[in-house]
């Protein structure tokens, strides 16, 4: 995205947003991150997370990123799709309301894998007609937030980080629902 000037969907905007107070703004070096840092604006890469070590090594300006330069308080901005219009806009397809997990399946290729969970349905002509069994998907974030992104809901939900490996995690993600043209299911 940075080197070739590629873009994601103009509907996609992502920022590191500490205004909710769900995770500390300071990093493992004791540095304070900006209250809000846009990473993608209208599908275009605006900033990357840069810690002081990387900044020193490559002659860049640090922005308070943690040692791993990973998101700590991500927010995907909402779109235009209202709650009342979700099923009618979907028309016929899968309505996935719960994911069991997400994992990277190919970091360099920006691919994620995951499983659906309960509360997922087959929809025909804007009406729920059946529940579905759990499905595994594996797809590229470039496709999900690129050509396949049709809209985002006009509301967001907070998804807490509930990890407990080695320690209890804090924070979470503020995300809208997404309407996709396609998603690759593997079983």
């Amino acid at each position: 995205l940075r080197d070739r000037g590629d873009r994601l969907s103009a509907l996609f905007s992502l920022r590191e947003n500490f205004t909710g107070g769900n995770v500390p703004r300071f990093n493992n070096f004791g540095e304070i991150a900006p209250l809000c840092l846009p990473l993608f604006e209208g599908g275009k890469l605006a900033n990357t997370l840069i810690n002081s070590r990387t900044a020193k090594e490559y002659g860049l300006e640090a922005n308070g990123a943690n040692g791993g330069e990973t998101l700590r308080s991500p927010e995907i901005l909402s779109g235009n799709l209202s709650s009342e219009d979700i099923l009618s806009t979907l028309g016929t397809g899968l309505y996935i309301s719960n994911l069991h997990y997400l994992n990277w399946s190919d970091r360099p290729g920006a691919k994620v894998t995951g499983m659906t969970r309960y509360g997922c349905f087959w929809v025909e002509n804007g009406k729920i007609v059946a529940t579905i069994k759990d499905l595994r998907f594996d797809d590229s974030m470039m496709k999900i937030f690129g050509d396949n992104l049709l809209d985002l809901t006009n509301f967001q939900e907070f998804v807490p980080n509930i990890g407990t490996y080695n320690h209890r995690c804090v924070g979470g993600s503020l995300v809208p629902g997404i309407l996709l043209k396609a998603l690759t299911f593997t079983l």
Side-chain angles (χ1 to χ4, degrees), residues 11-28:
L11 299 170
F12 181 72
S13 293
L14 169 69
R15 62 187 180 183
E16 180 88 291
N17 184 356
F18 291 99
T19 60
N22 299 306
V23 66
R25 282 175 55 198
F26 61 87
N27 63 19
N28 47 330

Side-chain angles (χ1 to χ4, degrees), residues 105 109-113 137-144 148 182-185:
S105 59
K111 289 184 79 173
V112 293
T113 187
F137 60 90
D138 190 78
D139 215 332
S140 163
M141 297 294 278
M142 301 296 289
K143 288 181 184 176
I144 292 169
N148 286 339
L183 185 65
T184 303
F185 291 94

Side-chain angles (χ1 to χ4, degrees), residues 65-181:
N66 64 12
E69 297 175 329
T70 57
L71 287 164
R72 292 177 284 158
S73 191
E75 177 188 17
I76 297 175
L77 301 185
S78 55
N80 301 304
L81 185 59
S82 70
S83 178
E84 302 80 32
D85 294 332
I86 292 172
L87 293 178
S88 62
T89 303
L90 173 60
T92 297
L94 291 175
Y95 177 84
I96 300 170
S97 67
N98 198 321
L99 298 177
H100 181 53
Y101 67 86
L102 288 171
N103 285 321
W104 290 108
S105 59
D106 174 14
R107 281 183 190 260
K111 289 184 79 173
V112 293
T113 187
M115 291 282 296
T116 64
R117 193 67 179 237
Y118 40 77
C120 299
F121 307 95
W122 177 251
V123 175
E124 290 181 5
N125 301 314
K127 305 281 185 209
I128 293 175
V129 295
T131 59
I132 62 168
K133 291 190 177 231
D134 294 342
L135 295 171
R136 176 177 297 282
F137 60 90
D138 190 78
D139 215 332
S140 163
M141 297 294 278
M142 301 296 289
K143 288 181 184 176
I144 292 169
F145 292 112
D147 293 339
N148 286 339
L149 183 61
L150 297 175
D151 207 347
L152 299 108
T153 58
N154 61 4
F155 58 93
Q156 299 164 303
E157 292 189 20
F158 180 73
V159 181
N161 185 348
I162 57 170
T164 57
Y165 290 110
N166 299 320
H167 65 280
R168 182 157 311 275
C169 294
V170 297
S173 303
L174 190 58
V175 294
I178 60 175
L179 179 64
L180 297 176
K181 177 178 5 180

